[in-house]
């Protein structure tokens, strides 16, 4: 049965862990769906892992549209979230126009990074029929402001502010929330406080689901493997087995383990 927003909401309500991976082409999209991955993200991480850039900032709306179309062709019934890239949603009208392009390319939902400054934009998108995934914690598009890829909200005041922002984004209409590189305790607090599903990447084991960049999950970035990921291909013998191992470990609560999380 095809995944929908209602499916993800039901999984949260029933305590079933959600699995997600980034996807950029038709072949992997098809394989992910066959292996039971709940949804896919056409991430602006393609700038790093596909285009060989040192950040996500050069990625364009055209790039995301191209890869979204490819993923949709590979997984006609899959649930696909597409990133709105850097500075493509700085004003609400701009966000509406670019979100329309991504939805027409095949996305079921768009994702944008940031806190309460996006409330009006999220409200406008949802009103116009565009489902929204929000993103808090480490924001890769803001890496130059943050001064690098660092764990966020380690102090109590910052953690409280992140929780408050998550609640405001939910109230604005976001139906999914990605939490990246925050202490596991904060990932738990936010997940328990919200009625929408939370998807962690370096946010501990208590979020409602987990997402990884597919290249990290397969150990393809041999020069650097982030603390929050794991090489699932090692010892598995095939891509299919690696994807199933990721799915099973997330569903069974075995991944992420404490060594993949931040305090």
């Amino acid at each position: 049965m095809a995944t929908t927003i209602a499916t993800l909401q039901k999984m949260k309500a029933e305590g079933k862990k959600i699995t997600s991976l980034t996807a950029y082409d038709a072949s992997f999209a098809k394989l992910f769906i066959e292996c039971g991955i709940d949804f896919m993200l056409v991430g602006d991480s393609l700038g790093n892992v596909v285009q060989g850039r040192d950040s996500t900032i050069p990625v364009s709306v055209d790039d995301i549209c191209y890869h979204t179309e490819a993923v949709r062709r590979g997984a006609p019934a899959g649930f696909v979230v597409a990133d709105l890239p850097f500075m493509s949603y700085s004003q609400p009208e701009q966000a509406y126009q670019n979100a329309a392009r991504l939805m027409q390319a095949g996305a079921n939902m768009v994702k944008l990074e940031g806190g309460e400054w996006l409330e009006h934009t999220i409200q406008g998108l949802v009103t116009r029929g565009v489902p929204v995934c929000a993103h808090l914690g480490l924001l890769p598009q803001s890496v130059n402001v943050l001064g690098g890829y660092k764990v966020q909200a380690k102090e109590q005041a910052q953690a409280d502010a992140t929780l408050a922002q998550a609640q405001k984004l939910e109230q604005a209409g976001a139906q999914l929330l990605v939490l990246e590189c925050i202490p596991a305790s904060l990932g738990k607090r936010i997940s328990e406080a919200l009625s929408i599903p939370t998807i962690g990447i370096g946010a501990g084991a208590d979020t409602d689901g987990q997402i990884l960049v597919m290249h990290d999950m397969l150990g393809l970035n041999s020069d650097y493997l982030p603390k929050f990921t794991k090489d699932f291909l090692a010892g598995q013998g095939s891509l299919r087995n690696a994807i199933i191992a990721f799915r099973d470990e997330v569903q069974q609560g075995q991944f992420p383990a404490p060594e993949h999380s931040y305090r």
Side-chain angles (χ1 to χ4, degrees):
M1 189 172 73
T3 299
T4 65
I5 294 171
T7 307
L8 301 178
Q9 289 277 8
K10 184 179 180 183
M11 291 179 73
K12 177 184 174 80
E14 295 177 349
K16 296 179 180 178
K17 294 292 186 181
I18 299 165
T19 58
S20 181
L21 290 166
T22 62
Y24 315 99
D25 64 32
S27 296
F28 272 101
K30 182 175 184 292
L31 183 59
F32 291 161
I33 293 301
E34 290 175 349
C35 292
I37 298 302
D38 295 310
F39 78 90
M40 295 169 289
L41 170 67
V42 181
D44 56 7
S45 51
L46 68 88
N48 304 93
V49 297
V50 176
Q51 297 175 338
R53 303 181 185 277
D54 61 4
S55 78
T56 65
I57 290 172
V59 175
S60 68
V61 176
D62 286 343
D63 292 334
I64 300 291
C65 284
Y66 174 87
H67 289 276
T68 299
E69 289 172 349
V71 167
R72 175 53 69 204
R73 285 191 287 267
F79 191 86
V80 179
V81 181
D83 265 337
L84 280 165
F86 178 69
M87 290 297 287
S88 67
Y89 52 96
S90 57
Q91 298 295 329
E93 288 297 332
Q94 180 190 29
Y96 305 156
Q97 293 170 6
N98 288 324
R101 292 186 60 195
L102 296 187
M103 296 293 285
Q104 289 166 349
N108 299 103
M109 173 180 270
V110 302
K111 182 170 78 65
L112 31 69
E113 298 180 7
E116 57 194 83
W117 70 274
L118 285 169
E119 288 180 74
H120 180 63
T121 298
I122 292 172
Q123 290 170 349
L125 285 167
V126 173
T127 299
R128 288 161 176 80
V130 180
V132 173
C133 175
H135 184 149
L136 291 173
L138 175 62
L139 308 178
Q141 293 176 13
S142 300
V143 64
N144 290 313
V145 173
L146 299 175
Y149 298 96
K150 303 175 182 178
V151 181
Q152 301 296 304
K154 292 189 291 185
E155 303 298 328
Q156 187 64 48
Q158 297 170 332
D160 291 344
T162 302
L163 171 58
Q165 289 187 55
Q167 292 171 319
K168 289 180 179 179
L169 295 177
E170 178 181 30
Q171 291 166 5
Q175 293 171 291
L176 203 62
L177 174 64
V178 168
L179 296 169
E180 181 168 359
C181 285
I182 59 173
S185 58
L186 179 56
K188 185 178 190 318
R189 281 181 68 197
I190 294 174
S191 300
E192 290 176 347
L194 301 187
S195 62
I196 62 173
T198 59
I199 309 298
I201 176 167
D206 294 307
T207 53
D208 300 306
Q210 300 291 329
I211 186 169
L212 288 177
V213 173
M214 57 167 277
H215 295 70
D216 291 341
M217 185 272 294
L218 295 172
L220 297 180
N221 293 332
S222 56
D223 55 336
Y224 172 68
L225 196 65
K227 171 185 172 69
F228 55 74
T229 193
K230 173 182 174 179
D231 179 359
F232 282 90
L233 183 57
Q236 291 296 334
S238 73
L239 292 172
R240 185 177 297 272
N241 288 346
I243 297 160
I244 292 172
F246 166 75
R247 180 202 68 193
D248 289 349
E249 288 195 23
V250 171
Q251 290 178 344
Q252 295 164 13
Q254 298 171 343
F255 178 83
E259 62 265 28
H260 307 119
S261 304
Y262 301 102
R263 292 186 176 182

